[in-house]
Amino acid sequence: MPVSPASPSTARAINDRLALGLLQSEGPLTANELKQLTGLSRPSVADLVERLQGSGLITVVGEAGAQRRGPNARLYGIVADRAHLAALDVRTDSVSVVVTDLLGAVLAEASAPIGGDTGTGPAVERAVALVERAAREGGVQRLHTVGIGAPGLIDPATGDLHDTSALPAWHRRLSGALQERLGVRVLVENETNLAARAERRDGAAHDRDTFVLLWLGDGVGAAVVLDGVLRRGASGGAGEIGFLPVPGTASLPSATGCEGGFHWLACAAALRELGAEHGLLQPDMTAAELLRHAVESDESGFLDAVADRVAVGAAAVSSILDPGCVVLGGEVGRAGGAALADRVADRVTAMSPLHTEVRAGTLGGAAVLRGALLAARDAAQDDVFGPRPGR
């Protein structure tokens, strides 16, 4: 069946979004550079520039080269303050926020502890007030979109956190409170999925369309990206690898707790206990600090023992999903670096017939906040610029 050509209005929308994407990725460009990069004719580019300027999406930000003058030398850039964003990393006992412009330039950052003894209402109030304060400090009067990264399952139908007794109640209340108080669109996503998004855009998986991110932190989890698409599963639970029954634990996990699962082999508390057994753990040392110390001191026995544990989960996802690449994410994965990743790769090779590259994450714990910002930015740009062609 023949495909009808795009209407003039559709073609203009596609060309506008193409130009805006180039201005976002390449920075300010001249009309001639836009012509070369888009392949459009000079009159089409002139119309495009006039149209985008008229809609307040781009503006002249300078000139290209001291020797050039006139219209062809003008540099055009996106109007970054057309919309402002906030991203939150919500942990069980704290919240961090960053406020940016439409292009992701950081305007303000803040964080605050929220202890386990804080009531639900006060905890929500503290988190919302933190966002409001950061926006004020960044000179932002109104936020357009807020992205939230949090532990737990996200319901694919509603986009809300599942109601679970394992997580603080204020986590589930926060999205609605932000919408009500600030009048903004709020996007909530599992923290491990956001970390995978960030590692793919800016980190260790930048060249991969298919990979699994194995999150190593206070908890463990996995994010599954196949053919460039994040897979959430039927109930949003794809990647809940902490519940994976594994050898080396004293019991089996249950529907209400991952004790006895992979979590109890590779979570931060388990690795700290392992470090104590090897005589490496110092008072108040985090699991990431422990791994970093072991790498710097070449504590091969401890690193081998950690790799033995992590490889159990990595080999499981390799055999089931054949992703070709596993990224060790979180602060522990980043701290272990190549020394841990190479050891895990050797063990996965011995356990699975499927070739699997193992890489250390490059963003660490910051990947959650970065991923939440990317989610907010993409959503806001689709609203302000218009949806990407094909969406």
Side-chain angles (χ1 to χ4, degrees), residues 337-352:
L340 178 60
D342 291 348
R343 284 172 164 84
V344 173
D346 290 342
R347 286 153 177 79
V348 172
T349 297
M351 286 188 279
S352 172

Side-chain angles (χ1 to χ4, degrees), residues 83-325:
H84 294 97
L85 320 169
L88 282 74
D89 180 1
V90 176
R91 304 295 175 99
T92 56
D93 58 359
S94 67
V95 60
S96 299
V97 60
V98 59
V99 174
T100 76
D101 63 22
L102 186 58
L103 293 180
V106 175
L107 304 176
E109 296 177 279
S111 61
I114 300 180
D117 57 348
T118 307
T120 299
V124 171
E125 174 61 30
R126 188 174 300 177
V128 173
L130 186 71
V131 176
E132 291 178 321
R133 190 186 79 199
R136 286 196 303 271
E137 291 177 352
V140 175
Q141 293 184 347
R142 177 176 172 80
L143 291 168
H144 182 284
T145 303
V146 175
I148 300 176
L153 304 182
I154 306 298
D155 188 325
T158 65
D160 296 329
L161 276 169
H162 278 285
D163 186 0
T164 170
S165 60
L167 295 172
W170 66 269
H171 283 196
R172 298 188 303 278
R173 293 269 303 276
L174 180 56
S175 173
L178 285 168
Q179 290 175 327
E180 181 179 349
R181 182 105 133 239
L182 305 182
V184 297
R185 173 171 50 175
V186 179
L187 310 173
V188 184
E189 180 60 277
N190 172 267
E191 59 182 358
T192 305
N193 289 342
L194 289 177
R197 184 175 193 149
E199 290 284 4
R200 184 173 181 230
R201 185 80 66 92
D202 302 319
H206 65 91
D207 58 344
R208 304 289 307 201
D209 286 334
T210 295
F211 71 99
V212 169
L213 181 131
L214 191 59
W215 179 266
L216 302 174
D218 290 338
V220 297
V224 180
V225 179
L226 303 178
D227 299 322
V229 179
L230 178 70
R231 307 293 179 174
R232 293 181 173 82
S235 63
E240 284 296 312
I241 198 171
F243 289 86
L244 179 73
V246 294
T249 59
S251 62
L252 291 174
S254 70
T256 57
C258 52
E259 293 84 355
F262 180 62
H263 173 88
W264 282 99
L265 278 185
C267 71
L271 297 184
R272 292 181 75 252
E273 289 181 5
L274 185 63
E277 293 173 9
H278 284 257
L280 300 177
L281 187 66
Q282 300 174 13
D284 300 323
M285 179 180 275
T286 67
E289 291 168 343
L290 173 63
L291 264 292
R292 194 172 298 112
H293 169 71
V295 171
E296 293 171 351
S297 305
D298 193 25
E299 297 287 349
S300 295
F302 173 70
L303 291 171
D304 287 342
V306 173
D308 288 342
R309 295 183 174 203
V310 174
V312 172
V317 298
S318 171
S319 298
I320 295 171
L321 297 173
D322 188 21
C325 178

